[in-house]
Each structure stands twice: as structure tokens, then as C-alpha cells.
Amino acid sequence: MKRQGDIQFFFAKKKPCQPVRESPSDGLGLHTVSSEPACSTGDLLVQEDSSISQNSPVHPRPAVSRDETDESESDVKEMDTCHPPSEAESELPLTSDTALTGPDDISQSRSEGPVQPHIRAFPKTQMGNRKRAFKDSWYKDNIWLEYSLSKDSAFCYACRHFSLPNALSSVFTSTTGFSNWKKALCKERGFKAHSKSEHHQNAMYAWKQHQHVVKTKSCILDSINNEREKKIKENQLYIKTIADVLLLTATQNISQRGHRESEDSNNKGNFIAILEEIAKHDPLIKKRMSAYGNSKYTSSGIQNEILECLAEMVQTEIIKEVKDSEVFSVIADETKDLGKKEQVSLVLRYYYNGTVHESFLNFQQAESLDAAGLSSMIIKCLEKYGLEYRTNLVGQGYDGAAVMSGRQSGVSKRIQDVAKYAFYVHCTAHCLNLVLVDSVKSVPEADTFFAVLQRLYTFISGSYVHKRWLEIQQDMYSGQPRELQKLSDKVGV
């Protein structure tokens, strides 16, 4: 029945009429309406409800039970007895702060999807002259449908999760849900009427768009993440290439940097030359090598940092092998670097996978060259790498100097006091050096030659002469000054 006029038409002066009287329930869950006419022809009494705005239409309808329509009695007080309402006509605007309603056994978020249980027998409810129940076959034609076992009611997944802020409320989004299985497939009620409503169609469209975004990963966040992952992989490949070049130069024992590494230099050094050769065959390396700024990672500081990382990886592998072999020995010796600073080299000797290994562990600057300082430094180094030296250290190898081999307070004696199985052995390489020194001294010409070299070293290493020697080199050459090396001709070394 098509209504005429606006809202003022319903509030025009009407003749008084009696309110609709309801008879007791007929036992089928429905309330019947008295057969006596409530109003005279053309007369209507409508009471304004506080929850309906002046711009909202008021629809006359018959009094029905809450089991059938699950609608609040406060929506409309008096209803027309001639026209049953559709499911869409029983809806009110949702407020902006409406929370997600429904029982706990249906979907609580968009990521869960509709809850559609399939069981052998759904609960039956007496409706009319027969018992009726929910059917899981309804899922096929209504993909938005979800069922609550605790409430024995149906709900709309799309409207609960994807409705617009100003969408109308519905029995399918209420706390109790739709349970009038008798009217579930009616054209003007139930599932079909809800599917035709505008707010449901809007929710279904939003749901499909959400599924499209999830499947194709076309959202902006995913695009940003993909670009970020691509950039990370490119950076990792570039750094790995730099590390491989540095590892090559280190294992081949060749210099890495040149005197001038600028673009107009004819010889930029081995490191830059190898990278430029790789860039001819790799577009990514070429792109990074031609970039501006500090993103090339070819500076001397970066090279040293990468070498330190590679050294830590090698040390970690050596320590793992030593711990797996359990027992080990240490070999130590000290020498001066180009800066005239004493450094102690530490080597570990152990048996691993059927082979005896001698692996260099590290250099350490010697702050003190006496027995106490050297023995303390060796023990601290072993403790630093977590090696159990008290029970697993079974040997020591040093030169024959008294500070190292002394039986009373030498380095070997001090370490053996804390590691009782660490027996001292005079290094065979130092023994061979002593044999060569004595053999050379037996030849007068060779002895005179090496004596001159030794005196020249002593003269150049003098305080004033040595300083002047370094200044002359800096004026004549660029780079690190060169130093004369001392001859190893000491007796007992």
C-alpha cells in the first residue's frame, strides 16, 4: 500500500479510536489481534516514539511477538492491522558508536569469516503445527549467513562487519539474531528481504572489496612493504659482493687500497678495480657504484668494519671446532709492528675431524712484557672466547726466552699453575732459528754482513735519528713510513 503525503499527514486531526487489544498467545509463539475494529474507516492513531526522528517514516503494522520479528516494542506503539512489515521496514539508524553485537560463537572480526557450522541435527522449535529448525543448505544461497549454536539464531556476517556508519539496524545484526525459521524463505520476510535491503547490498560490496584487497595484496601498505623488501635484498646482495671482494684480497694477501681512489686516478687499488670489473657484468653493482653520496660502502672505514665482521665469523668457527675437540694447546709469540708497539699473536692447536689444525686466533697489544703481564693476557684471551683452559689446555709452545720458559716464574710456569695439564714445549721453529744463527756465525763473511745490518738498525732506531728518518720519508713519499726490521740473532730465542 503506497502512502500519500509526508509525516504531517499521519499527525492530522483524527477521530479517537480504541487501541488494538491483543489476545493471549495461541501457543504457537504468536499473538493474535482482536477481531473488533480498532478504528473507524480511514482513522488511525499513531503515537510518536522518542527513538524516531521527525524525518523517519512511521509504518503502521500489526502487533506481533518478539520471537517472530525480534523487534523492540518501543519502535512503534500502535500498528496497522492490514499490512505486515518487511524485514527492511523494521530497521532503525545505527549510531556511530554502535559496538559489534552477537554471541561469542560467531565471527568476532573480519579476518575470521562467516561461522557456518554443519551438524547432523540443528535444534528444533515449535512453530505453528510443526517443529522447525535451521538448515545448513541455506548457506549455499546466502554466503553472508552465519549461525550461532548457543542462540539457535542466524546473523549477517556482512552487515555486522562491513556496514556503513549510518546503516540501519536489523534483526540479523541484533544480539539475539533471526530465529523465525517459518518465515526464513518468505519473499517479504527473512533472508530474501534482508538480501534486497540497501544497507545489506552496501555491506556486501564492501566485503567483496575487502576480499579483493586481501587476495591481490593491492593495498598501499603491502606495496610499501614489497618495495622495502626489494630494497633490503638489493642492499644485502651489494654488501655481500663487497665482503666477497675483501675476503678475496685478504686470502690472496694482496693490498686493497691504492694511493688515490678518485675518479681520475689510473690505479685505484685492487679493491675498487675488482668491484668495477664486477659492475660491468652486474647492473645492480654498477648502479650502486655510480651512485652519489655515502651509499657506495667503499671507504676505508667501511672496509675495516667488514673485515672485522669477517674476522669475528672466522673466530666463531675456530672456537666451535676447539670446543668440539675438547683438548687444545696454545702457541704465542710477540713482535713489534710498524708503530714500534709490541703485539702478541695467539694460535690454537687442536685435533678436529681427523686432522691437526693450527688456527690463528687474534693479535693483542702487550701492555707489559714481563711474565705476569703476558700470562695474564693469554688467560684473559682464553676466557674471552669461553674456552675451558683449566682442564682442556694440554700444551704450551713459546720461544726459549727466560720470560717465557722460566721454570720458577716464567709464563709457562704461571699458566701451568692454573692448568695442570698444560706442559711447556720449546717451539721447534725458534729452535731452527737458533741453529741457523749459529751456522751463519761460523762463516766470517756472513757474520760481518749481518753485524753491519744489525748496527745499521741500531743507528736508525735511535731517538733523534729515527725521528729524522721518518720526517725525510714523509717529505719524499706518501703513505706509511717504512721501518727497518731487527735481526733475530739473540741467543736463546
Side-chain angles (χ1 to χ4, degrees), residues 114-284:
V115 177
Q116 298 179 342
H118 294 268
I119 58 178
R120 180 175 298 179
F122 287 89
K124 293 184 178 181
T125 306
Q126 187 70 34
M127 295 183 179
N129 58 357
R130 56 180 295 186
K131 291 184 177 181
R132 301 179 184 273
F134 180 84
K135 297 181 180 179
D136 53 8
S137 60
W138 292 340
Y139 297 143
K140 182 178 180 181
D141 297 328
N142 306 281
I143 59 174
W144 48 266
L145 195 63
E146 55 181 350
Y147 177 78
S148 170
L149 291 172
S150 62
K151 293 288 187 180
D152 186 25
S153 300
F155 298 84
C156 178
Y157 170 82
C159 292
R160 293 179 64 247
H161 296 287
F162 297 95
S163 291
L164 298 176
N166 60 346
L168 302 175
S169 64
S170 168
V171 64
F172 288 93
T173 59
S174 63
T175 57
T176 55
F178 179 86
S179 59
N180 188 6
W181 312 130
K182 181 179 180 180
K183 302 294 184 180
L185 302 180
C186 291
K187 293 183 179 180
E188 297 181 357
R189 306 284 295 275
F191 304 153
K192 293 184 178 179
H194 180 72
S195 298
K196 295 178 181 178
S197 63
E198 182 179 358
H199 73 274
H200 174 78
Q201 293 177 0
N202 292 335
M204 289 296 294
Y205 178 79
W207 184 19
K208 290 181 180 179
Q209 291 298 316
H210 174 74
Q211 291 176 324
H212 175 72
V213 168
V214 172
K215 290 181 180 179
T216 61
K217 296 183 178 179
S218 60
C219 66
I220 297 177
L221 182 60
D222 288 335
S223 299
I224 294 175
N225 289 337
N226 291 337
E227 288 296 325
R228 180 175 177 272
E229 292 177 359
K230 180 181 177 182
K231 193 68 174 178
I232 290 175
K233 290 181 179 180
E234 291 179 354
N235 291 338
Q236 291 175 344
L237 177 61
Y238 182 68
I239 293 297
K240 183 178 182 298
T241 304
I242 291 178
D244 289 339
V245 174
L246 289 173
L247 186 61
L248 173 65
T249 57
T251 53
Q252 296 299 319
N253 197 23
I254 58 178
S255 60
Q256 297 163 352
R257 296 188 290 272
H259 295 296
R260 295 177 64 250
E261 297 182 351
S262 58
E263 294 295 333
D264 57 346
S265 176
N266 295 328
N267 186 4
K268 301 178 183 179
N270 295 323
F271 174 72
I272 299 296
I274 296 174
L275 274 181
E276 289 180 348
E277 190 66 27
I278 295 175
K280 295 179 181 179
H281 308 279
D282 193 328
L284 174 60

Side-chain angles (χ1 to χ4, degrees), residues 68-134:
E68 181 175 357
T69 63
D70 195 21
E71 295 173 344
S72 173
E73 294 180 355
S74 62
D75 295 341
V76 178
K77 301 291 184 176
E78 304 294 338
M79 296 170 286
D80 186 9
T81 60
C82 302
H83 303 284
S86 66
E87 192 274 338
E89 290 178 336
S90 64
E91 299 167 337
L92 296 175
L94 283 172
T95 58
S96 59
D97 58 348
T98 301
L100 189 64
T101 59
D104 296 336
D105 58 346
I106 59 176
S107 62
Q108 301 299 317
S109 65
R110 294 181 177 183
S111 60
E112 296 182 17
V115 177
Q116 298 179 342
H118 294 268
I119 58 178
R120 180 175 298 179
F122 287 89
K124 293 184 178 181
T125 306
Q126 187 70 34
M127 295 183 179
N129 58 357
R130 56 180 295 186
K131 291 184 177 181
R132 301 179 184 273
F134 180 84

Side-chain angles (χ1 to χ4, degrees), residues 379-391:
I379 290 176
K380 288 181 179 179
C381 181
L382 297 178
E383 293 176 345
K384 174 184 175 181
Y385 294 103
L387 297 176
E388 181 52 52
Y389 62 92
R390 298 180 183 276
T391 56

Side-chain angles (χ1 to χ4, degrees), residues 15-30:
K15 294 181 180 181
C17 60
Q18 299 294 328
V20 179
R21 295 191 301 272
E22 296 181 358
S23 63
S25 174
D26 59 357
L28 301 179
L30 303 174

Side-chain angles (χ1 to χ4, degrees), residues 411-443:
V411 172
S412 59
K413 179 63 171 62
R414 290 174 180 270
I415 292 181
Q416 195 170 11
D417 289 341
V418 295
K420 59 181 180 179
Y421 302 113
F423 297 100
Y424 166 72
V425 177
H426 191 183
C427 179
T428 55
H430 285 84
C431 292
L432 178 61
N433 181 71
L434 293 176
V435 172
L436 293 176
V437 170
D438 290 341
S439 299
V440 169
K441 286 184 176 180
S442 63
V443 180

